[in-house]
């Protein structure tokens, strides 16, 4: 039993909670506190755990006078220093992982990984390469303190000659106990002095001299379930390498970051698959009908919604325009959207001159085949030669007319969505666009992504349409793009799909 002085107070609860939160209990099992890196090359080190490292550490003791004995160190002070070091390391990891978990995309996570790793190993620049071992992508390269041209210059070095390239190319790790054929992920690769290495690749030497780095430290990004995801490397301006304690910290952080990257990778792949399926279900091209020009814009939500659009030529030079939204998200909503769109095309060919009849048939089909699902839809029967449009909507947002003399919403009758009433029916509306005017059909995802109330979102949509430049009013695609840029400059918030179908009448 250690005799610890009463002046030494240790908050064991705080330390234990930090261990549980961070999953780094092995840090406590180490016999020495984390030391500083052997040599730090960065002139301005990044901040760690809210501490500005550019401020010099004050000297707590002066140099002893020659000949005088050094006073003994109390055992309690030694234990207190160790515990303070452990708590500081845990606090640092906790803060860094909290910032990491708030990232929602792969690029954001890789940028945060580079910033945190630079703070831990004491470097100023770095590069992260995402290259999943399964070859399914996506692949990307992100730099910290390196311009795009610098990244391209580094990539001209033969990959096997770089520290991160050795990891990506399958540098073998240690075999797992009990499974000789299975191996651990590659170990970190430290190159403390590039120019002292006589076997350094000449191209690598040239690039390092041009960009001004003299050492590197690379770590693998891998998980047990997903395998290799990529690698991260930090570059030192002068010969240096992180100490053992710093390597341990960045290793713990790297394992946590790899798990987070694996989750984001699965989400990104899921979104890509949903977007591909959605694009396959939507029209591959818009028809060409005399007297009208068409343009469509579609943005898939993060979870894959059921918004859709359609434009099909009808007999006697007529044109059918439709937009709609199916409730729900995911594959089931996409399948329902595909069935609903195909059915509407059939009804439009048979009785397109009466939009109310088309939506009534669609409502009956929805109640019989999808009793637990609802949908909104708007169908317009257009005669471009006469600039005449007859439309009907079922719980859908009204279209917008954009012209030189007016920008206004079409007044449609209020109606419930399809599948919510035993028998749906609502009166149709007839409009006559002027020459050069554009009719914008859209889904409510365009409004919901603004993150504001519907009244406010409608007002912003109207304002965006009013500010369309005169040169863009002749192109329906340019009008749709302007509305999207103005209303959703950063993509907006939420997971809803966005659909715009623009028809400009000559």
């Amino acid at each position: 039993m250690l005799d610890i002085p009463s002046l030494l107070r240790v908050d064991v609860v705080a330390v234990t909670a930090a261990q549980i939160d961070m999953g780094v209990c092995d840090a406590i099992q180490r016999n020495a506190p984390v030391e500083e890196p052997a040599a730090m090359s960065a002139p301005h080190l990044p901040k760690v755990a809210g501490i500005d490292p550019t401020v010099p550490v004050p000297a707590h003791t002066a140099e002893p006078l020659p000949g005088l004995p050094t006073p003994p160190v109390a055992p309690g002070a030694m234990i207190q220093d160790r515990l303070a070091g452990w708590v500081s390391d845990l606090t640092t990891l906790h803060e860094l992982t909290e910032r990491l978990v708030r990232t929602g995309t792969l690029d954001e996570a890789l940028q945060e990984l580079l910033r945190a790793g630079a703070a831990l190993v004491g470097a100023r620049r770095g590069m992260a390469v995402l290259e999943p071992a399964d070859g399914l992508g996506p692949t990307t390269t992100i730099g910290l303190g390196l311009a795009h041209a610098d990244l391209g210059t580094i990539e001209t070095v033969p990959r096997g000659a770089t520290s991160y390239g050795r990891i990506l190319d399958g540098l073998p790790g240690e075999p797992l106990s009990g499974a000789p054929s299975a191996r651990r992920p590659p170990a970190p690769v430290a190159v403390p002095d590039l120019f002292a290495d006589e076997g350094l690749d000449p191209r690598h030497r040239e690039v390092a001299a041009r960009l001004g780095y003299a050492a590197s430290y690379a770590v693998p990004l891998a998980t047990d379930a997903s395998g290799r995801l990529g690698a991260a490397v930090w570059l030192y301006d002068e010969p240096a390498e992180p100490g053992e304690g710093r390597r341990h910290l960045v290793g713990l952080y790297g394992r946590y970051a790899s798990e987070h990257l694996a989750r984001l990778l699965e989400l990104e792949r899921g979104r890509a698959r949903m977007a591909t399926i959605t694009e396959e279900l939507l029209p591959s091209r818009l028809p060409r009908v005399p007297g009208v020009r068409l343009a469509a814009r579609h943005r898939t939500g993060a979870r894959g919604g059921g918004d859709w659009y359609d434009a099909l030529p009808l007999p006697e030079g007529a044109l059918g325009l439709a937009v709609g939204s199916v409730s729900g998200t995911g594959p089931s909503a996409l399948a329902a959207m595909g069935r609903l769109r195909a059915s509407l095309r059939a009804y439009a060919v048979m009785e397109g001159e009466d939009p109310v009849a088309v939506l009534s048939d669609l409502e009956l089909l929805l109640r019989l085949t999808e009793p637990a699902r609802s949908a909104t839809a708007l169908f317009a029967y257009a005669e471009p030669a006469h600039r005449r449009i007859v439309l009907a909507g079922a719980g859908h947002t009204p279209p917008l007319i954009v012209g030189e003399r007016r920008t206004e919403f079409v007044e449609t009758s209020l109606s419930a969505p399809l599948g919510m009433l035993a028998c749906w029916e609502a009166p149709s509306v007839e409009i006559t666009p002027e020459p050069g005017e554009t009719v914008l059909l859209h889904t409510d995802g365009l409004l919901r992504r603004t993150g504001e109330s519907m009244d406010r979102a409608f007002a912003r949509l109207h304002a965006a349409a009013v500010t369309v430049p005169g040169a863009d009013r002749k192109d329906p695609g340019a009008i749709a793009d302007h509305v999207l840029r103005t209303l959703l400059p950063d993509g907006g918030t939420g997971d809803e799909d966005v659909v715009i179908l623009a028809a400009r009448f000559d």
Side-chain angles (χ1 to χ4, degrees), residues 244-258:
E244 181 182 355
R246 291 289 174 172
R247 293 190 189 198
H248 182 68
L249 281 180
V250 77
L252 294 174
Y253 180 80
R255 287 196 289 273
Y256 184 88
S258 297

Side-chain angles (χ1 to χ4, degrees), residues 424-500:
W424 179 90
E425 186 172 347
S428 60
V429 177
E430 181 174 331
I431 60 175
T432 305
E434 297 294 331
E437 289 187 335
T438 300
V439 179
L440 285 180
L441 285 70
H442 57 90
T443 59
D444 59 357
L446 177 65
L447 305 174
R448 296 185 185 279
R449 276 210 191 186
T450 62
E452 300 183 4
S453 65
M454 294 303 289
D455 290 342
R456 177 61 179 166
F458 271 115
R460 288 189 56 188
L461 174 58
H462 184 271
V466 169
T467 59
V468 175
D472 293 341
R473 292 180 180 268
K474 298 180 180 180
D475 182 1
I479 295 176
D481 291 336
H482 176 83
V483 169
L484 282 174
R485 287 195 305 268
T486 306
L487 207 61
L488 308 175
D490 56 352
T493 59
D495 298 329
E496 294 84 1
D497 285 6
V498 175
V499 165
I500 294 181

